[in-house]
Amino acid sequence: MSELQLAGRVAVVTGGASGIGRATAKLLARHGAKVVVGDYRLLPENDAEFAELVIEQRQVDVRREVELKELIEFSETFTGRIDILVNNAGIAMVKQIVDVSEADWDACLDTNLKAAFFGCKYAIASMLRDGQGGAIVNTASNAGILPRAHDPVYSISKLALVGLTKSLALSHSKDRIRINAVCPGPVGETGMMNADLDKAADRAATVKQFIAASPLARAAGRMISPEEVAASILYLVSDAACMVTGTMIAIDGGKSLGVPPL
Ligand code: NAD
């Protein structure tokens, strides 16, 4: 049997209604996991495909600890535990510090960082109960490797998410709970990217700029896809990565390596 098979495992994916989370939920389900998607925006367009893959959908605001607790408790009802958590829900925040309100800060940090922390709290408690271990993946960003000038609050949230990943990985390796991060570059066909492009004065030129910023995307002449990020998440939650923890995989086509050639 392939080491990527997840049969018998329960996986929770936050922000699974669209983009990277949706691609991840579908890929994990296709590899045999019982998947529960938690999102504050459940989209009817997912109903048929999710039903086919027996993916459960729960309306959850990940900024609220109590709702994450309920999501994990619901997910435990299938086998008594959860095996996999993907903390993927996230929002952008393209503002300079002088324009950032306390509400902006809270919205971004609560969604991108606090939610992952409390998701880990309840997932780790579930995984600790029977000593069988588990796997957690946090969706960070290339902004979690190198901060970006245009979105300092987002960069701070993702840099801290990488810090959270390493810290909790260190604390829970002894429990066979592996905690890793993925750091995607600009990913097309996502709510986040579409929102950016909708704001752009020249959509086609902006797409070109995103592609140009990422050397492999540029060589391929296209953006990174949600499915390409999901493939790394599948690897990290599977037994193929059984000795991998506290690390991050950059799925950014080389964007975070340095300044690309002209
Ligand atoms: P997306 O907007 O398609 O997906 C984000 C999902 O999170 C949505 O379904 C949204 O409803 C959900 N969500 C947001 N706030 C929530 C909340 N409070 N409670 C519950 N659900 C909530 O965009 P995406 O690009 O697929 O984003 C997924 C992750 O990938 C995010 O963490 C994002 O920061 C990260 N990321 C995206 C890119 C990119 O270029 N798209 C690059 C790097 C990292």
Side-chain angles (χ1 to χ4, degrees):
M1 195 170 72
S2 157
E3 284 184 316
L4 296 177
Q5 280 307 317
L6 303 174
R9 298 185 204 179
V10 174
V12 179
V13 180
T14 71
S18 78
I20 294 167
R22 174 165 56 198
T24 301
K26 291 195 289 189
L27 190 64
L28 301 191
R30 288 199 185 101
H31 281 76
K34 171 72 190 171
V35 176
V36 181
V37 158
D39 203 299
Y40 67 178
R41 215 176 32 126
L42 299 182
L43 303 179
E45 70 197 50
N46 293 328
D47 289 351
E49 207 175 359
F50 280 10
E52 207 174 294
L53 293 165
V54 206
I55 296 173
E56 308 283 336
Q57 305 182 66
R58 308 288 289 182
Q59 190 154 28
V60 170
D61 185 339
V62 297
R63 293 168 296 185
R64 300 196 60 229
E65 179 183 357
V66 65
E67 295 192 26
L68 284 165
K69 181 171 184 277
E70 285 163 9
L71 177 67
I72 301 294
E73 283 171 356
F74 169 78
S75 307
E76 284 174 326
T77 57
F78 298 100
T79 63
R81 76 187 314 272
I82 75 153
D83 303 274
I84 294 162
L85 169 65
V86 184
N87 285 309
N88 169 79
I91 60 165
M93 185 59 63
V94 182
K95 281 187 180 185
Q96 292 302 317
I97 186 167
V98 291
D99 299 317
V100 172
S101 66
E102 187 177 1
D104 291 334
W105 170 271
D106 287 347
C108 191
L109 271 289
D110 286 0
T111 311
N112 295 3
L113 181 64
K114 188 181 98 172
F117 179 83
F118 285 105
C120 286
K121 172 178 167 177
Y122 293 103
I124 287 171
S126 179
M127 292 166 182
L128 283 176
R129 238 170 267 137
D130 61 5
Q132 293 299 302
I136 297 174
V137 174
N138 298 317
T139 306
S141 165
N142 61 59
I145 302 173
L146 289 173
R148 308 185 300 206
H150 68 282
D151 58 3
V153 179
Y154 183 81
S155 295
I156 290 164
S157 74
K158 296 298 188 179
L159 285 158
L161 184 57
V162 169
L164 176 156
T165 303
K166 292 183 184 190
S167 176
L168 294 180
L170 191 60
S171 299
H172 291 288
S173 300
K174 65 178 180 2
D175 307 313
R176 295 198 295 147
I177 299 172
R178 301 183 300 100
I179 306 166
N180 290 288
V182 289
C183 293
V187 182
E189 304 302 319
T190 60
M192 195 171 275
M193 178 57 69
N194 288 337
D196 265 6
L197 295 179
D198 289 346
K199 277 183 248 147
D202 182 341
R203 198 181 172 97
T206 308
V207 169
K208 261 192 168 167
Q209 274 172 10
F210 277 122
I211 293 174
S214 177
L216 284 177
R218 186 168 160 177
R222 63 167 177 83
M223 277 201 208
I224 300 158
S225 73
E227 289 73 23
E228 286 161 340
V229 182
S232 288
I233 296 176
L234 170 65
Y235 162 70
L236 287 171
V237 301
S238 76
D239 291 347
C242 65
M243 287 293 160
V244 179
T245 197
T247 191
M248 56 192 175
I249 299 182
I251 308 119
D252 66 356
K255 182 169 186 253
S256 55
L257 287 173
V259 180
L262 292 174

